[in-house]
Amino acid sequence: MYIMAQNSKPVYGGQAVVEGVMFGGKTSCVTAIRRKDQSIDFFEAPRKSSPFLKKIKKVPFLRGIAAIVEATANGSKHLNFSSDRFDLDPSEDEKLKEKKESKLTMILGVAVIGVLSFIIGKVLMTLVPVFLAELTRPIFSSDVAQIVVESFFKFLLIICYIFLISQTPLIKRVFQYHGAEHKVINAYEKGIELTIEGVQSQSRLHYRCGSSFILFTVIVGMFVYLLVPTDPLWVRIVNRLALIPVVLGLSFEVLQLTNKLSSFPVLKYLGYPGLWLQLLTTKEPKDDQVEVAIASFSRLLVLEEKKAGTTQNKVV
């Protein structure tokens, strides 16, 4: 999940985790979760980015891929923290020290595992619609028809997947925290005081959400695929895999564009399909969930101010 503040406000990213919310700023990332005893626990980490990714993030069409890799890597660490602790009473924290990590995690690390999981998921969501569309070739034989059918299956898979997982109690609560995350950002951007009442008055939808990005990959992919052949099948598979970075990069730019146009009376509707998808990926949060989101964001603002002050002192 990715959000940017508008106008002159700083840039912030966010992500719902198990029983909590993670927010990231320029220098720090903070996760707040609700523990089993109803207390709020925090995980703070400096926001790290490799020199290579920093350079890539300045290049249009490539910056989206770099942002995805960085957000997935950082988010995985915070998601791991929340999933380890949310159902433990603080008195049982010693058990975490005794917990043995899998050999794969020890070798590659949480961040790399997260990126690999994203890549595998993206490959599956790209190739499964290809095979489903190929089954309809006797009916839809032209290249254009095949691409439309393939995009339809991809969209259908995404919607069905999101709907099915949202029926589980755990994911439903994650989606509620997702809504709380958006509400906090909306309140912050509008200058509304970050109280439970003020935040709850805001929309749970936001133009910069990663859910919108997912939908744009379907739409952008459909147009990109029109430039390459769909037959034979092995060529189609190779094309789809090779074009994954292209589709991701272009979709990120489209997401950026729709946010910039969100204040224009007519052009703002370009971002509406992404907002509609968020009706599935976000749920109205409860007050105690909003409280956790506010705590996370407030802690982040404090850390960001401290880091900014330290930097200024060094310059002086």
Side-chain angles (χ1 to χ4, degrees):
M1 158 66 219
Y2 188 79
I3 301 176
M4 272 189 173
Q6 299 179 27
N7 303 322
S8 60
K9 289 183 178 291
V11 175
Y12 293 107
Q15 176 181 318
V17 296
V18 181
E19 287 301 327
V21 176
M22 182 272 280
F23 284 108
K26 186 176 181 180
T27 62
S28 306
C29 293
V30 175
T31 288
I33 63 170
R34 179 75 69 181
R35 297 295 296 272
K36 192 174 182 179
D37 66 346
Q38 298 306 306
S39 64
I40 297 178
D41 196 6
F42 295 91
F43 174 61
E44 303 169 3
R47 185 165 186 170
K48 297 180 180 179
S49 181
S50 70
F52 175 73
L53 284 180
K54 285 183 178 180
K55 292 180 180 179
I56 295 297
K57 286 171 71 175
K58 297 178 181 179
V59 182
F61 302 108
L62 293 181
R63 59 188 176 185
I65 299 173
I68 292 169
V69 171
E70 185 180 66
T72 303
N74 289 330
S76 297
K77 299 174 184 177
H78 291 260
L79 185 58
N80 189 58
F81 164 80
S82 66
S83 60
D84 278 346
R85 291 177 177 265
F86 82 97
D87 60 346
L88 282 181
D89 189 275
S91 62
E92 301 176 300
D93 283 354
E94 287 297 320
K95 292 182 180 180
L96 291 176
K97 298 179 181 179
E98 301 173 2
K99 179 182 176 182
K100 293 184 179 180
E101 295 181 322
S102 69
K103 291 184 178 180
L104 185 61
T105 303
M106 291 175 66
I107 295 171
L108 298 179
V110 174
V112 177
I113 293 294
V115 174
L116 289 176
S117 299
F118 171 81
I119 293 174
I120 292 171
K122 181 59 184 171
V123 168
L124 288 175
M125 277 295 183
T126 299
L127 293 186
V128 170
V130 169
F131 292 111
L132 292 175
E134 191 68 24
L135 294 175
T136 70
R137 190 174 284 278
I139 303 173
F140 304 102
S141 57
S142 71
D143 284 356
V144 174
Q146 275 292 296
I147 291 169
V148 172
V149 171
E150 178 186 335
S151 300
F152 170 75
F153 278 129
K154 186 181 294 186
F155 175 74
L156 194 62
L157 280 173
I158 290 172
I159 295 298
C160 290
Y161 174 74
I162 293 174
F163 175 76
L164 288 174
I165 65 172
S166 69
Q167 302 308 301
T168 64
L170 178 63
I171 300 301
K172 181 179 179 181
R173 288 189 63 81
V174 171
F175 284 179
Q176 287 178 303
Y177 277 108
H178 190 183
E181 172 205 341
H182 285 186
K183 283 174 175 276
V184 167
I185 289 293
N186 282 325
Y188 170 75
E189 291 180 349
K190 293 178 182 179
I192 295 173
E193 187 177 1
L194 297 182
T195 62
I196 292 177
E197 294 76 13
V199 170
Q200 283 285 37
S201 69
Q202 299 305 298
S203 171
R204 74 177 200 261
L205 312 180
H206 198 286
Y207 265 87
R208 306 294 303 189
C209 178
S211 303
S212 301
F213 176 76
I214 293 172
L215 184 59
F216 285 135
T217 61
V218 178
I219 299 172
V220 171
M222 183 174 67
F223 288 102
V224 170
Y225 298 155
L226 289 172
L227 304 177
V228 296
T230 63
D231 192 49
L233 179 58
W234 71 268
V235 171
R236 186 175 187 175
I237 292 173
V238 170
N239 284 333
R240 296 303 182 264
L241 293 176
L243 289 172
I244 286 177
V246 176
V247 172
L248 291 177
L250 287 173
S251 299
F252 183 83
E253 298 301 325
V254 172
L255 185 64
Q256 297 273 70
L257 179 63
T258 57
N259 184 66
K260 292 178 181 178
L261 300 176
S262 62
S263 59
F264 291 86
V266 177
L267 297 178
K268 68 179 182 180
Y269 295 111
L270 291 173
Y272 273 37
L275 295 178
W276 294 334
L277 185 60
Q278 289 176 45
L279 294 174
L280 284 178
T281 62
T282 65
K283 302 292 182 184
E284 284 294 336
K286 298 178 180 178
D287 287 352
D288 61 331
Q289 293 171 313
V290 168
E291 181 185 16
V292 173
I294 292 174
S296 176
F297 192 67
S298 298
R299 179 71 69 94
L300 174 67
L301 292 180
V302 171
L303 291 179
E304 292 285 286
E305 290 175 2
K306 286 183 178 179
K307 292 287 179 65
T310 301
T311 303
Q312 291 174 359
N313 289 336
K314 287 182 178 179
V315 173
V316 172

